[in-house]
Structures are given as structure tokens and as C-alpha cells.
Amino acid sequence: MPPVAEQALAVRADFPIFARRFGERPLVYLDSGATSQKPQVVIDALSAHLSSHNANVHRGVYPLAQEADAAFEAARERIAAFTGGEARTTIFTKNATEAINLVARSWGAAQLGPGDAVLITQMEHHANLVPWQQVCRERGAELRYLEVDEHGELSLQALDSELARGDVRLVAFTHVSNVLGTINPVAEISARARAAGAITLIDGAQAVPQMPVDIARAGADFYVWTGHKALGPTGIGVLHGRRELLESMEPFLTGGDMIASVGLQETTWNELPFKFEAGTPPIAEAVALAAAVDYLGALGMERVRDHERALTEQMLARLGEVPGLRVVGPPAGRERGALASFTVEGMHPHDVAELLGREGVCVRAGHHCAQPLMRCLGVSATARASLGVYNDESDVEALIGALQSGRAVFGL
Amino acid sequence: MPPVAEQALAVRADFPIFARRFGERPLVYLDSGATSQKPQVVIDALSAHLSSHNANVHRGVYPLAQEADAAFEAARERIAAFTGGEARTTIFTKNATEAINLVARSWGAAQLGPGDAVLITQMEHHANLVPWQQVCRERGAELRYLEVDEHGELSLQALDSELARGDVRLVAFTHVSNVLGTINPVAEISARARAAGAITLIDGAQAVPQMPVDIARAGADFYVWTGHKALGPTGIGVLHGRRELLESMEPFLTGGDMIASVGLQETTWNELPFKFEAGTPPIAEAVALAAAVDYLGALGMERVRDHERALTEQMLARLGEVPGLRVVGPPAGRERGALASFTVEGMHPHDVAELLGREGVCVRAGHHCAQPLMRCLGVSATARASLGVYNDESDVEALIGALQSGRAVFGL
Amino acid sequence: MDDLYRDYILEHYKRPQNFGELDPHDLEALEHNPLCGDELGVHIRVEGDRIEDLRFHGHGCAISQAAASIASEELKGMALSDVGQLDADWMIDLLGIPVSATRRKCALLNLKVVRGAVTGDNAWPS
Amino acid sequence: MDDLYRDYILEHYKRPQNFGELDPHDLEALEHNPLCGDELGVHIRVEGDRIEDLRFHGHGCAISQAAASIASEELKGMALSDVGQLDADWMIDLLGIPVSATRRKCALLNLKVVRGAVTGDNAWPS
Ligand SMILES: Cc1ncc(COP(=O)(O)O)c(C=O)c1O
Ligand SMILES: Cc1ncc(COP(=O)(O)O)c(C=O)c1O
């Protein structure tokens, strides 16, 4: 592994927020798992679109509308290609959460019934949990959970026994856990699910920003991610779906743009991807997200992964030196995403985050939208430091320093 | 009426897009009904937020997250106040279409059944039509249409007879028609519906950008609008709901942020407005939309309405001089929104829009997402010129000039 | 002279060839242009494995009407198996004008309808 | 000295007063802090129209635990009708530290729970 972590992979000056000072202190941003910071090129793409190419899409004949159309559909191509997808089966939603709701409602509500089961994992974000709870309850289907072991990992054997029960119609699981950092063996899980006749949905919200993702290789029928965690703006999420499935599904949201023909009592649907995009889409957001994936692509996702892997190891090693600090998730040495969730004995995670925040060190505290997982871990909250392409060694050192002074405030 | 139309109400230089040239020609933007152009202050608010205050909202303890939280919730206050609403009952969606789907699914799917009717009008945009079609079909309820008369207006008498049938549970109607320009008597319609025990949803997508709107005075139980038509960015819509109704409704999208507590099989919901905002909301978009309503508020919505009324009259008068041109909707002299939809004999609306577009004049052609209305009007498409705060007399003259030369191309 | 609205285009638009209904007919199809809701239908009479006669009906812009009119003459007498091979370039070339991305749907609507009637494939050209 | 984490706050956090269960009890309530999932419950024993005794249970940050601990002494002996009148300022003043908007929910969680147990109003303070 190259010793890349001393320096950030991206030029930090590309990200205007790092010009901020909090008091005298620079920004030590360790909350990319919640949302990423944005490079200037992304902000510029957004501004430039709104300043110079703004019109509504899909119906305009005049040149400005054609520019907007071309920009929007070119953005879709670039965004689709970033994870090896096709434009036609790449649907824009408002965030990852809406993408999962779309599948739960459009596929799930039509396909699930009594005797059927949906299998998710104990490490799911609420976004990939509550929609399945809802649809299973409504349809009389069963929602079952694949356990997380003491290393914060899933067991393929447990998966096999669940699948062997013969009732699993869909397996929904996260690519990278936003709490544990676990990187799930997505291709293996998908392949086993498929062999058992179940379809799969992968929540790639954490994965897409930090590692090369190829949706074909991941083998999922549905793969979702979200713009704002991948250097893009808020207001846009992405759903990749297998074409036959998308073709066979009824639309989720209905209204303008997603129709072929509307009668008083009946409507026919537009072709993909428009069938699933009701109303004015996130036009400027798509253009900006395309700039974000171009930026990531130029860094090279293999290099991003190498960088974050190295920096994460460094962070885990240094955190291990802090007395009373316990990291959850895969132990050192195992493949792991770019974050560390931890507890500090004698300090509540909120207080940890508060004290770190005063030193400009931004970490998240709480249940990280994964309450069932927290209960498995036997904690109500953790603090979480998560990394992005702009982080380097100095951020890890600032984290450790702030943790030490925080402990001192608490007399620890 | 003050002779304000000679000049645009807003300083055109506030809108960077008007620096564009198409060939030698300036931009004559007459498509605000599809989406508005954005003032620099809105673009700047978006950039500034992403450049300097970006963090995820609702859970962050560190100062940057508190800034993002404060900015987002302050934006909600300002946006709510713009139409006389309260922050707690003002829900952000991705667009007006999602807001209507939310009500159709969350209220409609729970409340409607056989023997119930939903009453909409023949002038609805597909956004306020297809969701009702879907939910009525699924629930075995009836979808009925209030007719549009030869002036492009609704009849309150016809409304009364519909309501007298005693089965109408909800009346959904547009505030201002995006095709006819008709301004509906929303307070009267709401009052009659309420007296008959029906709830109301008003589609304010066209109204909010062009006239003072007070949701209490409009009397609606639900009032929806969309950011991108009101000088704001794409990716954000607004739903105002009556508190008791929103409290009693189940959430629509589920996931993070909208929960109080998540168990393996059961979940309890967060308080309003968060119960209806699943996942990361349109944070930067809300901040930008707040800047947009501040900008409109500074112009003064009464003055906006006066300006657009005057300019519309001027446009109607000049269009009346073009041979073979027929305007649909309320005849001159009647109260009317800031647009004119028309056909030109011997030229298809697409060709009209194409030829106008070459002269830098941007109008929309097609069914304007209102196919049932088009059938009533006996046309398959119209061309539509719609106005915004940046338009003035010169735009109307450019439209007329381009229409004349377009007719010449067609040998008319 | 106008690039798009050439004289022959306008001529075909104003006086289209082979417009109307054809009864009886052997094949038919109807499509909407989702851009604008315009509708175009075709009736085809088959003799052996060839299009013996055809008529278009519906309404649309100058581009879509001219395309239907111009193509109609070429289509008459064509082998059904050849119709399935016709592609967008064939139609655009035949039309002989530069067509923008937005108006492409207008230009291809008639071929979409004819292909649909002959091959049953409604997905073309996407 | 730290503004927020004053000595007495940390003292209350580390050795909270009136924490635990109270059985039997007359009133009880349990609330989550939606910010983090922390849980705080209360058991109240009533004598006449007054709180005779109470105990908090659950877990939370220094602010929420110290607030519960500090308030518990004030609440004992208070008339039930007065509890319904207690407002956010009362609690914040009692706590005696500057509370940011984000941490306000932590500071007010115990009062929310107690009000809920006594008045049945779960909506406070929103
Ligand atoms: C009257 C009306 N309602 C609803 C909409 C839908 O708005 P959006 O596309 O932002 O959801 C529009 C805009 O096209 C409209 O004109
Ligand atoms: C694993 C995971 N899934 C889903 C989401 C939801 O993303 P969004 O809030 O953009 O819908 C998140 C982000 O919080 C996440 O970390």
C-alpha cells in the first residue's frame, strides 16, 4: 500500500470550505459519511447552469431549452457511466431514501404478499429498513434480518440458511456500513440471492464516494446512491435498475413528464427512465453531480480507495492509543470503509462531538440512522469520524489531540 | 392600473442569463410558466451555502452543522411566511408533483374508498390529475371533473351540484391555470368544499410566482407550489398542510430523519414537518429558495401582480392583431394570469416555437402537461408565452415581430 | 432560404401525400409524440410480402407531417422484411434537412408508427 | 473553566441524583431524544396533589443527565398543577449554562418527560 495518507489525495484548495476558520482553527472535517464537502468545480457547474443554461427540460424547442436538455441528458450519461450503468436505466430521485422507497412501493407493493419474506441486515441505515418494514406490514410479508457478527460482518452461511427457507423474494443490504465501516461482499450476496430466486437491492450511499463501484459486478438488480455524499449537491439521488424489472414495474410518483398519454380516467406511461421521474427533475443538481463524478473520476477511484484505506488504518491505530476508547466494527487488518465509530468511556458521544467541535474537528454523534444496529452493539450512540478525499494525516492528528483535551475537560 | 409594463419590474441585470446572446440577439424569455430564470442573489445563496456552510442537518453538534441547521430552518421560516404559512406545517418536497403525490398517497390512500369521489377540474396539470386517477382506481373511488366553460373558467354552480351529490371527499384544483391563465376563485371553491365536508388541495405552482398568496385566505387544507418557477432552484417543492390533517396522516416516504424510534418491526414517527421529510432534504435548495422569496418580497407581490397584469393585457392586445392567431382562455378584460396560449392557423405550435426560438424568443409548445384540457379545447397543442418579473414591453414586441416573420416563412 | 422549412417541406406539410384512412387495411398502428401529444396513425394494405398501399392520419408539426408524406411514397411497394431494417438515418436522409435533437422525435414519428404496424416493435428507436 | 461543562454539571453527570426506578409509582413516561436516540424515563409517586418522590432512568449526554439530576430536587414536593406551568426558561435557568440550539433538546428532555407523565401532553415543547 503506497504511503499516500500523509497528503490529501485531492488538492484541499479545490474545496472552498477549507478556507473557513473557526476561531483561529482550520476546519477538520471528519463527517463525510453524513455529507461530503463540494469542490469549486461542482459549485461552478451549478452556478453556470443556473446563470447561463437554465430552462425546463424535455419539452422545449427553443435553443436555450435544447441546451438545458442536452446538459441534463449528458449529465445522466456521465453519472450512469461512473458506476458502469446505462442512462436509460439510471433514474434521478431526490436522494437515496426516495430511490429505496420507489423500489419498495413500486416493486414491493406489487410483488410481496403473505408467505413472502424480505431479507435485510442488522446493519442497515433507516433508509434501507423502514420502507421494507412498511411494505411488509402492508402486504402481510415477513421482514427478516441477517445478523451482524462480533466483527461487524455478515455471515454468508447465515445468508444461505435464510435463503434456503425458500420464501425470500428480495435481499436489501448496504454496500458499506455507515456505522461499522464494514464492506460487504456484495457480489457473493447478490449471486446467492439470485440463485435462490430473490432479487437484490444494494444501498451504495457510502460506497460510491469511496471506492470503484461497478453495478454489473456488484450483481444487483437495484443499486442506489446519493449525490450529496459523492461531492455533489443536495437534492439528487440515483437509482440504477435492471431494465426488465424497471419495464415491468408501475411508476411510483405520477404527474408531468412521466406519461405517454393522459385520458380522463386512464394514463399510459412514458419510456425509461422518464417513467420514474415525475415532475421537473433536479436539472441543475444533475449537471453539478456530473461535475462531481468527473472530479472523482479524474482522481481515480482506485486511488481514492487506496488513500482512504491507508488513512483509515492510520486513524484506527491512533484511536487505539486513546484510553477508554473503543472502536466498533471490523478489527484492524480487515478490509474496511473510511470511517471509525467509537465510544469513549465516561463521555457520552454527544459530549465528545461537542468538545471536538470546539476545536474545529467535525464528527457526528448519535445513532447514525441505524437504531437496530446500535441495539445489537449494545450502545445508544457512538461518535463517528469519517473520511473524504480531502482528508490527510493532519486531520487524524487533530482528532486525536481534540479527544485528549476533551477527556481532560471531563477529568478523565 | 399603473403603466408599469414599459419597464421590467425587476432590474434585468439582476438575472445573469440576460447577458446571453443567441447569435446577435438578446434572450427574450417568455417561458416562465415552465421555469423561471434566477436572480444572481439566488445563485449566490446556493453557492455560498455549499462553499461555506455545508453540512448535513438535524443531527450535527459541531458549529458547521449548527450553521447548516440554522440556515435550513431559517429558510423554512422565510419560505413558510412568504405565503402566510407556518414552518411546522411547511414540508419540503422535491417539486410540486411530489407534494401532490404525498397527499394522494398519504391522505387519499387511507381515506378514499368505494362510494367516495375526488373532484378535480378539466384544467388540471397532469401533476394534479394522474395521482388522483391512480389513487381513485386503487381505492375504488370515483374521479370526476369540473368542466371548464367557453371562457376557460369554472362554474361555481357546477361545483355546487357536484358537491350536492354528497360523495365528494376532496376537491383538488389549480390556483392559476398553466394553459388558460385562468385565476380560479380559490377562496369560494374552498369554502363551498368545506361546507360540503370535503377537503381541498390547491395547486399553486403558477400562482405563487406571480401574485400575493395567503394560504389561510385561500382556505385550502393543502397548498402546494414549486421552487423553480418562483425564481428558486430546481430540486425543491413546498407543501403547506393543515396541522390536524398532517398530524393524522401516515408518512409517505420513510427512512432517516422522519422517525422518532426504529425497532426491528415497528417504527414511530418524528414530529412535523420532519415526519414527511425522509432522508437528506434539499438543504442548499431551501437556502436558495429563501433568497428567491426574499427577492420577490422586496419587489412586492402586489407590484408583481400589477406589472404582470398590465403586461399581459398589452400582450393579449398585440397578439389580437396577428392574423390567424387565436388565444385560448379568458377573453380580454377578465382577470387573468401572466400568460397567453395560442394557435396560429396554418402553423403547428411546434413550428411556431421553433421559428420564434431562432429569433431568441422562447415560448413553449405542446400540451403543457394538460392533455385532458387540450381535448376540451379541441387542439392537440398550443404555443404559450408566459411572463416573469424580468419581462417588459420589448419582449412583447419581440414576440410579435417573430410571429410575423415566422408566418412569412410559412408563406402566410 | 430557410434551412429547416425548405419549400418542399412546407409543400408536403400543406399538401401531404397519402394522408387519410384506408379501409379495409391489414396492418395499423398509432403513436403519440410524447413531446407534444401529437398523434400519428397508419393503415397499411399488404399484398404478398409487400406494402401495397398505406395512409397516414393524425396531426403534427411540419416536420412530422412532411416526413410522413415523403416516406409514404418510398414505403409503397416495399417488402415488409425491409421495413424492419429501416433506420433513423434513412428517414433523416430522406427528409434532407438538419434536424435538432428535440425535433428528431417529430421526424421519426412516422417511421416509428410504420415499424410498429409491420414488426410489432413499439420500442424503436430507443 | 469550561462554559458548558462546568464542574457542577460534570458532577451531576457522574453522580446524578434521583436516578433509578421507583416501584410502586403513580405516574410514568418515557421519551426519546430524536437527535441521538437517547432515552429518558421517569417514575413519579404522588401524594395529594404533589410530587412526593421521583426517579429518572435511561441514558444520555452530560447535559441531559445533569438537567434531570438538577431538576429532580426542584420537582420533589412540587404541586402537579405547577409542573404543567414549567417552561423551557425555567429549565435552562436552572441548568445555568449557555445551551446551543442543537443541545436544547438534550437540556429539555427531562422536563418533557416529567410534563408528559403529569399532564399527558407529549407535544411540548414544540
Ligand atoms: C399548474 C402546475 N402544477 C404543477 C406543476 C408541476 O410542477 P413541478 O414540475 O415542479 O412538480 C406545474 C409545472 O409544470 C404547473 O404548471
Ligand atoms: C448507508 C446509507 N444509506 C442511505 C442513506 C440515505 O441517504 P439520503 O439521506 O441522501 O437519502 C445514508 C445517508 O445518511 C447512508 O449512510
Side-chain angles (χ1 to χ4, degrees):
Chain A
M1 181 191 327
V4 284
E6 272 169 52
Q7 284 194 307
L9 182 62
V11 178
R12 210 180 274 217
D14 286 354
F15 294 76
I17 203 157
F18 292 111
R20 286 279 315 262
R21 288 291 172 274
F22 293 84
E24 320 267 83
R25 297 173 195 276
L27 175 65
V28 178
Y29 190 72
L30 295 172
D31 197 20
S32 295
T35 200
S36 65
Q37 295 303 337
K38 322 301 174 198
Q40 190 65 49
V41 286
V42 167
I43 299 168
D44 287 348
L46 195 56
S47 303
H49 183 83
L50 293 173
S51 300
S52 305
H53 308 287
N54 172 64
N56 213 327
V57 291
H58 295 324
R59 286 159 312 201
V61 176
Y62 51 86
L64 184 64
Q66 292 185 26
E67 289 176 13
D69 247 345
F72 180 60
E73 294 305 333
R76 192 194 301 274
E77 301 271 356
R78 284 145 70 199
I79 292 165
F82 183 61
T83 52
E86 275 174 40
R88 154 175 297 259
T89 52
T90 296
I91 292 153
F92 290 133
T93 58
K94 68 175 175 180
N95 52 27
T97 304
E98 186 202 341
I100 297 170
N101 276 266
L102 187 165
V103 177
R105 289 283 138 202
S106 179
W107 181 88
Q111 295 291 327
L112 295 171
D116 290 334
V118 167
L119 183 64
I120 67 173
T121 87
Q122 282 180 336
M123 67 170 84
E124 295 314 307
H125 186 280
H126 293 160
N128 201 23
L129 189 164
V130 188
W132 302 114
Q133 245 181 26
Q134 293 293 104
V135 73
C136 284
R137 156 132 10 97
E138 275 172 43
R139 305 294 312 157
E142 197 189 342
L143 177 63
R144 293 205 301 266
Y145 290 80
L146 207 54
E147 274 186 25
V148 171
D149 70 16
E150 72 279 13
H151 290 150
E153 291 170 1
L154 301 172
S155 142
L156 291 177
Q157 251 173 311
L159 171 67
D160 286 339
S161 357
E162 281 292 348
L163 293 170
R165 293 170 66 174
D167 58 354
V168 176
R169 301 287 313 283
L170 178 136
V171 185
F173 54 100
T174 193
H175 195 154
V176 175
S177 161
N178 68 313
V179 177
L180 303 167
T182 315
I183 302 175
N184 286 315
V186 291
E188 283 84 343
I189 298 175
S190 298
R192 285 166 201 233
R194 172 152 314 165
I199 68 162
T200 48
L201 179 144
I202 300 180
D203 174 356
Q206 294 292 335
V208 168
Q210 62 173 294
M211 57 178 61
V213 169
D214 182 289
I215 55 172
R217 214 171 303 149
D221 294 297
F222 298 104
Y223 194 101
V224 312
W225 56 288
T226 197
H228 67 91
K229 295 190 205 275
L231 312 190
T234 49
I236 186 164
V238 181
L239 168 66
H240 301 286
R242 194 148 55 79
R243 181 156 170 176
E244 312 82 79
L245 276 169
L246 292 175
E247 303 267 17
S248 73
M249 281 155 54
E250 286 291 296
F252 173 50
L253 301 176
T254 58
D257 269 2
M258 52 69 70
I259 58 93
S261 166
V262 176
L264 291 179
Q265 303 295 341
E266 265 131 62
T267 292
T268 55
W269 314 127
N270 200 343
E271 58 190 28
L272 293 177
F274 312 113
K275 179 170 101 175
F276 291 103
E277 294 181 354
T280 301
I283 305 168
E285 289 82 356
V287 169
L289 182 56
V293 302
D294 285 353
Y295 183 90
L296 284 170
L299 290 180
M301 291 308 296
E302 292 286 356
R303 286 178 63 221
V304 169
R305 173 69 192 132
D306 287 343
H307 170 73
E308 301 200 2
R309 185 193 280 118
L311 196 55
T312 304
E313 292 219 353
Q314 204 166 337
M315 177 165 75
L316 289 171
R318 294 288 280 133
L319 285 173
E321 297 163 13
V322 179
L325 189 147
R326 184 172 78 93
V327 174
V328 302
R334 289 177 103 96
E335 192 71 358
R336 203 189 214 286
L339 61 82
S341 280
F342 56 89
T343 56
V344 180
E345 217 186 304
M347 290 178 81
H348 188 279
H350 263 184
D351 298 313
V352 172
E354 173 101 33
L355 288 165
L356 265 51
R358 294 186 189 175
E359 313 220 353
V361 178
C362 306
V363 302
R364 196 135 289 240
H367 55 62
H368 313 295
C369 293
Q371 289 186 348
L373 176 61
M374 302 311 270
R375 271 179 225 115
C376 297
L377 296 173
V379 295
S380 73
T382 66
R384 181 189 69 187
S386 54
L387 306 171
V389 292
Y390 28 68
N391 291 120
D392 64 20
E393 211 174 19
S394 72
D395 296 316
V396 171
E397 292 311 312
L399 167 67
I400 302 299
L403 277 169
Q404 301 292 17
S405 45
R407 291 183 74 250
V409 170
F410 267 58
L412 297 171
Chain B
M1 182 189 324
V4 282
E6 273 170 52
Q7 285 195 306
L9 182 62
V11 179
R12 210 179 274 215
D14 287 353
F15 294 77
I17 204 157
F18 292 110
R20 287 279 313 263
R21 288 292 171 274
F22 292 84
E24 320 265 84
R25 297 174 194 276
L27 175 66
V28 178
Y29 190 72
L30 295 172
D31 197 20
S32 296
T35 200
S36 65
Q37 294 304 337
K38 323 301 174 196
Q40 190 65 49
V41 287
V42 168
I43 300 167
D44 287 348
L46 195 56
S47 303
H49 183 81
L50 293 173
S51 299
S52 304
H53 308 287
N54 172 64
N56 213 327
V57 291
H58 295 325
R59 286 160 311 200
V61 176
Y62 53 85
L64 184 64
Q66 292 185 27
E67 289 176 14
D69 248 344
F72 180 60
E73 293 304 333
R76 191 194 301 273
E77 300 270 357
R78 284 146 69 200
I79 291 164
F82 183 62
T83 52
E86 276 174 41
R88 158 176 294 260
T89 53
T90 297
I91 292 153
F92 291 132
T93 57
K94 68 175 175 180
N95 53 25
T97 304
E98 186 201 340
I100 297 169
N101 276 268
L102 188 165
V103 176
R105 288 284 140 201
S106 178
W107 182 88
Q111 295 290 326
L112 295 171
D116 291 332
V118 167
L119 184 64
I120 67 173
T121 87
Q122 282 180 335
M123 66 170 85
E124 296 315 308
H125 187 280
H126 293 160
N128 201 23
L129 190 164
V130 188
W132 302 115
Q133 246 182 24
Q134 292 294 103
V135 71
C136 284
R137 155 130 14 96
E138 275 173 41
R139 306 294 312 156
E142 196 189 344
L143 177 63
R144 293 205 300 268
Y145 289 80
L146 208 55
E147 274 185 24
V148 170
D149 70 16
E150 72 280 15
H151 290 150
E153 291 169 1
L154 301 172
S155 144
L156 292 176
Q157 252 172 309
L159 172 67
D160 287 339
S161 356
E162 281 290 350
L163 292 171
R165 294 169 67 174
D167 59 353
V168 176
R169 300 287 313 281
L170 177 134
V171 185
F173 53 101
T174 194
H175 195 154
V176 175
S177 162
N178 67 313
V179 177
L180 303 166
T182 315
I183 301 176
N184 286 316
V186 290
E188 284 83 344
I189 298 175
S190 297
R192 284 168 202 232
R194 171 151 314 165
I199 68 163
T200 48
L201 178 144
I202 301 180
D203 175 356
Q206 294 292 335
V208 168
Q210 63 172 295
M211 57 179 59
V213 169
D214 183 290
I215 55 172
R217 216 171 300 149
D221 294 299
F222 298 103
Y223 194 101
V224 312
W225 56 288
T226 198
H228 68 92
K229 294 191 205 274
L231 312 190
T234 47
I236 186 165
V238 181
L239 168 66
H240 301 286
R242 194 149 53 79
R243 179 156 171 177
E244 311 83 81
L245 276 169
L246 292 175
E247 302 266 17
S248 74
M249 281 154 56
E250 286 291 297
F252 173 49
L253 302 176
T254 59
D257 269 4
M258 52 71 69
I259 58 92
S261 166
V262 176
L264 290 180
Q265 301 296 340
E266 265 130 62
T267 292
T268 56
W269 314 128
N270 200 344
E271 59 190 27
L272 292 177
F274 312 112
K275 180 169 99 175
F276 290 103
E277 294 180 356
T280 302
I283 305 168
E285 289 82 356
V287 168
L289 183 56
V293 302
D294 285 353
Y295 184 90
L296 283 170
L299 290 179
M301 290 309 295
E302 292 288 356
R303 286 177 63 222
V304 169
R305 173 70 191 131
D306 287 345
H307 170 74
E308 301 200 3
R309 185 194 281 116
L311 195 55
T312 304
E313 293 220 350
Q314 205 165 336
M315 178 165 74
L316 289 171
R318 295 286 281 131
L319 286 173
E321 296 162 15
V322 178
L325 189 147
R326 184 172 79 91
V327 174
V328 302
R334 289 177 102 98
E335 191 71 358
R336 203 188 215 286
L339 63 81
S341 279
F342 57 89
T343 55
V344 180
E345 217 185 304
M347 290 178 79
H348 189 278
H350 263 185
D351 297 314
V352 172
E354 173 100 34
L355 289 164
L356 265 51
R358 296 185 191 177
E359 313 221 351
V361 178
C362 306
V363 303
R364 196 137 288 240
H367 55 61
H368 313 294
C369 293
Q371 289 185 349
L373 175 61
M374 302 310 273
R375 271 179 223 114
C376 297
L377 296 173
V379 295
S380 73
T382 66
R384 182 189 69 186
S386 54
L387 306 171
V389 293
Y390 28 68
N391 291 118
D392 64 19
E393 213 174 17
S394 72
D395 296 316
V396 171
E397 291 312 312
L399 167 68
I400 302 298
L403 278 169
Q404 302 291 18
S405 45
R407 290 183 74 251
V409 170
F410 267 60
L412 298 172
Chain C
M1 198 196 55
D2 197 284
D3 245 20
L4 192 59
Y5 298 107
R6 307 238 168 121
D7 287 346
Y8 68 92
I9 296 284
L10 292 174
E11 196 49 41
H12 277 284
Y13 172 55
K14 288 175 185 169
R15 275 170 288 279
Q17 297 170 347
N18 301 302
F19 264 68
E21 318 249 321
L22 194 62
D23 279 315
H25 54 262
D26 302 298
L27 301 171
E28 62 168 43
L30 182 73
E31 287 283 351
H32 294 93
N33 180 345
L35 178 64
C36 59
D38 282 346
E39 221 174 68
L40 195 72
V42 72
H43 289 165
I44 297 177
R45 205 177 283 155
V46 178
E47 168 123 359
D49 63 348
R50 299 195 169 267
I51 293 181
E52 189 219 324
D53 201 0
L54 91 176
R55 292 284 184 286
F56 287 103
H57 56 271
H59 41 75
C61 61
I63 309 300
S64 75
Q65 301 293 96
S69 174
I70 293 171
S72 66
E73 282 302 311
E74 304 289 320
L75 290 165
K76 276 203 244 176
M78 195 175 280
L80 294 180
S81 57
D82 289 345
V83 172
Q85 307 304 317
L86 296 175
D87 60 8
D89 288 346
W90 174 80
M91 186 64 246
I92 304 280
D93 287 351
L94 201 59
L95 205 52
I97 49 172
V99 176
S100 70
T102 315
R103 302 304 293 277
R104 203 174 151 86
K105 279 199 201 294
C106 309
L108 299 182
L109 184 59
N110 82 91
L111 183 53
K112 180 174 172 65
V113 174
V114 172
R115 286 181 51 113
V118 169
T119 70
D121 166 21
N122 301 317
W124 190 88
S126 55
Chain D
M1 200 194 53
D2 197 282
D3 246 20
L4 192 60
Y5 298 107
R6 307 237 169 123
D7 288 347
Y8 68 91
I9 296 284
L10 292 175
E11 195 50 41
H12 277 285
Y13 172 56
K14 290 176 184 170
R15 277 171 285 278
Q17 298 170 348
N18 301 301
F19 263 67
E21 317 252 320
L22 195 61
D23 279 314
H25 53 260
D26 303 299
L27 302 172
E28 62 169 41
L30 182 73
E31 287 284 350
H32 293 94
N33 180 346
L35 178 62
C36 58
D38 283 346
E39 218 175 71
L40 195 72
V42 70
H43 289 163
I44 297 177
R45 205 176 282 155
V46 178
E47 167 123 1
D49 65 347
R50 298 194 170 267
I51 293 180
E52 190 219 322
D53 201 1
L54 90 177
R55 292 282 184 289
F56 286 103
H57 55 271
H59 42 75
C61 63
I63 309 300
S64 75
Q65 299 294 94
S69 173
I70 294 171
S72 66
E73 282 301 312
E74 303 290 318
L75 290 165
K76 276 204 244 176
M78 194 176 281
L80 294 180
S81 57
D82 289 346
V83 173
Q85 307 305 315
L86 296 176
D87 59 9
D89 288 345
W90 175 81
M91 186 65 244
I92 304 280
D93 286 350
L94 200 59
L95 204 53
I97 49 171
V99 176
S100 71
T102 316
R103 301 305 293 277
R104 204 176 150 85
K105 281 201 200 292
C106 309
L108 298 182
L109 184 60
N110 82 91
L111 183 54
K112 181 174 171 64
V113 175
V114 171
R115 286 181 51 113
V118 169
T119 69
D121 165 22
N122 301 318
W124 190 86
S126 56

